[in-house]
Amino acid sequence: MVKRNKIKRIGVFTSGGDAPGMNAAIRAVVRTAITYGAEVYGILRGYDGMIYDDFIELKSQNVSNILQRGGTILKSARSMEFKTIEGRKKAFENIQKHGIEALVAIGGDGTFTGAQKFSQEFNIPIIGVPGTIDNDLFGSDSTIGYDTAMNTVVEAVDRLKDTADSHNRLFFVEVMGRDAGFIALNTGIATGAEGILIPEIETTVNDLKITLKTNLKKGKTSGIIIVAEGDQSGGAYEMARKVKEIDNSYNTRVTVLGHVQRGGAPTLADRILASKLGFYAVEALFLGKDNLMVGIQNNKIAYVPLENAIKHNSEIDHDMLRLARILSI
Ligand code: ATP
């Protein structure tokens, strides 16, 4: 048996954009901590709740029947005040007031940037759990919510393909991804999209025109172009407009999937990922680890310094883009 540090009370919170599976992670944190003999306090609305003293004790029964629900029972927020030292001081005073000795932060890169500062300034152990649909954190093959968001996109695009085909329409479908094209790339492959536009690679309207012309010659009169919201062309509306400008004969339509990608019941993959990461996050705290993000790499648990998780971007697999082009001819 590994020697465990004694921690009497843990705080857990969700922060930044919500992601399906966050509830499964909260449940795993609460039940693992209770099993190891600690109490758990949930902090509402992320760092804002820490500053405004919004804490609730979470017992095992408080997290029953939430595993399958999207969103986060602890609510989430983007806190401007936490970015100031005064805000973080207030947050720490409340943490101390409630006797919390360690924290589990569920969120994305912004959440971890704040966590890292907080941990260094006030010497409180923090473990990060990657919860973001963007999958843009270094150190975990997947982040909580990513799989669910992609499944939501695939379901929507499948529906759009039916109508695109019936009316010979060219659909530009905008998906989430301000800085990262993972959702666009994978859903593009999974739906057989004719074009995939991601922030990491510039696609000009001329590049797209060549693809569309080749398709037309082969008799493809409808199509799907998946556009990540952060694509360099300026998003789906902008690219559709540019295509129309070049050739007005295209029957274009734009669908922005927006926040539907954040909601819904987490998939099996996200439930398992969230359960594992919540469990290992608490285990890490009890093993005396600190300032790390827990991730899964090649099916194994991995610990990455929070600093690396934020600084190094997860990279797009360029071979996947090549594959997408070949398979959609
Ligand atoms: P997502 O990837 O889903 O957007 P995120 O965790 O990156 O999630 P952000 O809004 O970027 O979401 O960050 C969440 C919160 O973390 C911010 O509202 C803020 O309170 C805190 N935070 C972000 N950057 C900093 C910083 N430089 N210093 C202190 N706190 C920060």
Side-chain angles (χ1 to χ4, degrees):
M1 181 78 178
V2 199
K3 188 177 171 303
R4 298 188 194 282
N5 285 19
K6 192 80 195 126
I7 300 174
K8 288 192 286 300
R9 194 170 287 167
I10 290 176
V12 60
F13 62 97
T14 49
S15 154
D18 65 321
M22 280 182 160
N23 281 329
I26 296 166
R27 169 180 176 268
V29 167
V30 170
R31 294 198 167 161
T32 309
I34 288 172
T35 303
Y36 288 170
E39 288 173 346
V40 184
Y41 274 47
I43 304 160
L44 297 173
R45 296 175 292 106
Y47 293 123
D48 263 354
M50 234 182 249
I51 295 171
Y52 292 99
D53 198 10
D54 227 347
F55 293 62
I56 45 162
E57 187 175 358
L58 294 173
K59 304 256 191 204
S60 185
Q61 65 270 26
N62 297 122
V63 291
S64 44
N65 212 18
I66 64 165
L67 170 78
Q68 73 281 18
R69 282 170 48 196
T72 157
I73 59 159
L74 293 178
K75 315 269 182 199
S76 191
R78 302 193 194 268
S79 166
M80 294 316 288
E81 228 179 312
F82 195 77
K83 291 190 177 178
T84 66
I85 182 67
E86 294 76 25
R88 294 197 293 277
K89 263 190 196 149
K90 270 199 232 165
F92 186 65
E93 280 161 19
N94 287 324
I95 293 283
Q96 273 191 314
K97 186 172 106 184
H98 291 286
I100 291 170
E101 295 167 344
L103 291 167
V104 175
I106 307 171
D109 56 351
T111 302
F112 295 167
T113 306
Q116 204 206 359
K117 272 192 192 165
F118 195 57
S119 167
Q120 278 166 0
E121 285 166 354
F122 301 101
N123 194 25
I124 178 154
I126 304 185
I127 297 289
V129 171
T132 165
I133 65 166
D134 294 335
N135 200 36
D136 57 351
L137 290 164
F138 174 82
S140 190
D141 296 340
S142 187
T143 55
I144 296 168
Y146 173 54
D147 185 67
T148 307
M150 287 195 298
N151 276 287
T152 304
V153 171
V154 166
E155 195 191 322
V157 174
D158 284 350
R159 287 166 196 260
L160 291 172
K161 277 183 87 153
D162 291 344
T163 173
D165 192 38
S166 307
H167 289 271
N168 288 337
R169 281 175 180 153
L170 179 63
F171 267 92
F172 288 81
V173 185
E174 188 170 296
V175 301
M176 282 197 171
R178 259 174 306 176
D179 306 304
F182 295 104
I183 294 181
L185 178 57
N186 284 298
T187 57
I189 292 172
T191 57
E194 278 66 32
I196 302 171
L197 276 56
I198 57 176
E200 293 86 344
I201 294 165
E202 190 185 0
T203 310
T204 64
V205 67
N206 281 322
D207 297 331
L208 199 58
K209 195 181 86 182
I210 295 166
T211 313
L212 294 175
K213 280 248 153 76
T214 321
N215 283 348
L216 213 56
K217 270 194 200 141
K218 283 184 275 179
K220 270 196 190 186
T221 50
S222 69
I224 299 283
I225 312 292
I226 305 272
V227 188
E229 60 180 327
D231 173 67
Q232 297 172 31
S233 68
Y237 274 107
E238 191 52 20
M239 198 45 141
R241 189 189 63 74
K242 287 180 186 161
V243 166
K244 264 300 222 201
E245 226 170 56
I246 287 185
D247 186 342
N248 196 33
S249 67
Y250 283 110
N251 190 4
T252 59
R253 289 291 184 279
V254 178
T255 299
V256 177
L257 293 181
H259 286 83
V260 290
Q261 292 161 92
R262 287 203 181 278
T267 57
L268 175 140
D270 272 330
R271 294 179 198 200
I272 293 185
L273 178 69
S275 300
K276 276 185 180 173
L277 294 180
F279 169 82
Y280 283 117
V282 173
E283 183 126 284
L285 284 175
F286 277 89
L287 291 173
K289 296 186 196 287
D290 180 10
N291 239 325
L292 299 171
M293 181 193 87
V294 280
I296 302 286
Q297 293 174 15
N298 296 323
N299 264 327
K300 289 204 175 71
I301 185 72
Y303 298 101
V304 197
L306 280 178
E307 198 184 343
N308 293 356
I310 309 159
K311 272 199 191 142
H312 303 288
N313 281 340
S314 245
E315 290 206 358
I316 278 282
D317 183 350
H318 286 248
D319 233 25
M320 292 285 273
L321 262 182
R322 199 164 62 85
L323 176 153
R325 278 193 208 111
I326 291 172
L327 298 191
S328 68
I329 57 169

